[in-house]
Amino acid sequence: MIYREPKALIIQVEDSYLGQVQYYWTYYGKPCELTEIGAKTMGLTAILVSMNNPDAGSFVYILCERLKARMYEQKTNKPLTVEDVFLF
């Protein structure tokens, strides 16, 4: 997947999908630093990702498409859509 520009993202994912996150991260060759922190909402985890290469872009895209994860910009906490981040 082709991303528009490098971005520092917060990926919000349900706790039950954390095993899948690790699987995809390993599958794509650990393409970026991955930091998991507790989200303010119960049952969710925030994952900090620096999307700055094509494999990291593919990893983030698959999380959003398959796991229905939500994306936010790290600096502003602004919600992002897949269309905001990727070219189609």
Side-chain angles (χ1 to χ4, degrees):
M1 184 53 51
I2 299 173
Y3 57 93
R4 294 181 187 272
E5 61 187 32
K7 286 191 181 289
L9 300 171
I10 301 169
I11 309 294
Q12 185 183 49
V13 66
E14 292 182 30
D15 289 346
S16 60
Y17 290 136
L18 289 176
Q20 289 292 317
V21 170
Q22 292 296 319
Y23 169 78
Y24 289 126
W25 185 61
T26 303
Y27 179 81
Y28 285 103
K30 301 177 184 176
C32 56
E33 291 291 320
L34 186 79
T35 306
E36 296 176 1
I37 58 173
K40 294 178 182 175
T41 306
M42 184 184 252
L44 297 176
T45 297
I47 300 170
L48 306 178
V49 174
S50 178
M51 188 179 64
N52 57 7
N53 64 62
D55 289 335
S58 296
F59 169 67
V60 169
Y61 180 78
I62 210 75
L63 293 182
C64 293
E65 287 300 305
R66 295 216 177 134
L67 305 182
K68 304 300 181 212
R70 296 184 191 155
M71 284 186 290
Y72 300 89
E73 207 166 19
Q74 271 189 30
K75 291 181 182 177
T76 63
N77 290 340
K78 174 186 164 195
L80 298 169
T81 64
V82 172
E83 291 80 17
D84 293 335
V85 177
F86 299 99
L87 296 173
F88 290 96

